[in-house]
Amino acid sequence: HLASEGHRLRQALTAWRAINSDLLDLVTDLTGDALDHTGLLANAFSAATSIYLSGIYDYTTALWHSWGVSVPTLAMEDVKSHVVTILDSTRYALDHTNISHLLYLFPLRVAGARCTDQCQRNQVLTLLRRVGTNFVVAQAFEGDLRRLWAKPQV
């Protein structure tokens, strides 16, 4: 049942992205003038939610496969693409919008958990510190990520 529900949620995310593609496509070229600021937030949250859903199953993939159950995980390339989307959307939003920085904590935490290199980790930390200039709770997110990054990778 859990795997079926995951597939249903994955389909809902895919449908939502298709329905809102006009809004989301406007923000993929961050140099354009026609920018809907809510699209930046939507892009970051869509990417973060997609990664988060995959993460529910990613860490136990071998178990699911041993049971012969298909789960809605993302390919590593898709996860990396979503991390880049989160970082780019957040950076641009913090620079060019008045959307509350607090709203970007969830996407940054998710991206931070899936960063594959030190450069991306540094980007996450920089963005969290920018959020932290107005919201001290960002320091807790930074500490949490530093503990996660210090753990040996399995």
Side-chain angles (χ1 to χ4, degrees):
H1 177 71
L2 185 62
S4 296
E5 182 65 8
H7 283 292
R8 188 191 67 72
L9 291 170
R10 174 69 61 214
Q11 288 174 340
L13 278 170
T14 302
W16 182 87
R17 274 199 76 76
I19 291 167
N20 292 287
S21 64
D22 291 343
L23 169 71
L24 300 173
D25 289 346
L26 280 177
V27 298
T28 54
D29 177 14
L30 297 178
T31 61
D33 293 331
L35 180 67
D36 183 329
H37 297 163
T38 58
L40 289 166
L41 185 61
N43 253 347
F45 265 83
S46 173
T49 303
S50 191
I51 292 171
Y52 190 84
L53 175 61
S54 184
I56 292 170
Y57 304 94
D58 284 343
Y59 302 107
T60 55
T61 302
L63 180 63
W64 291 103
H65 289 295
S66 73
W67 293 338
V69 176
S70 168
V71 290
T73 56
L74 293 173
M76 184 55 67
E77 298 78 36
D78 294 329
V79 172
K80 288 179 181 181
S81 175
H82 285 318
V83 167
V84 169
T85 296
I86 292 167
L87 296 175
D88 289 348
S89 295
T90 301
R91 184 179 318 100
Y92 196 85
L94 295 180
D95 287 343
H96 300 285
T97 75
N98 60 356
I99 295 173
S100 174
H101 296 177
L102 186 64
L103 295 173
Y104 287 96
L105 287 177
F106 169 70
L108 287 172
R109 172 56 178 86
V110 171
R114 293 303 190 101
C115 287
T116 56
D117 60 46
Q118 191 59 45
C119 180
Q120 285 185 332
R121 290 176 179 181
N122 290 339
Q123 290 177 56
V124 169
L125 292 176
T126 299
L127 294 169
L128 280 173
R129 288 179 187 139
R130 289 186 61 192
V131 171
T133 60
N134 296 316
F135 300 100
V136 73
V137 71
Q139 292 172 5
F141 282 75
E142 182 178 338
D144 182 49
L145 285 171
R146 286 187 181 281
R147 283 186 292 282
L148 177 67
W149 294 335
K151 291 181 181 178
Q153 300 298 313
V154 239

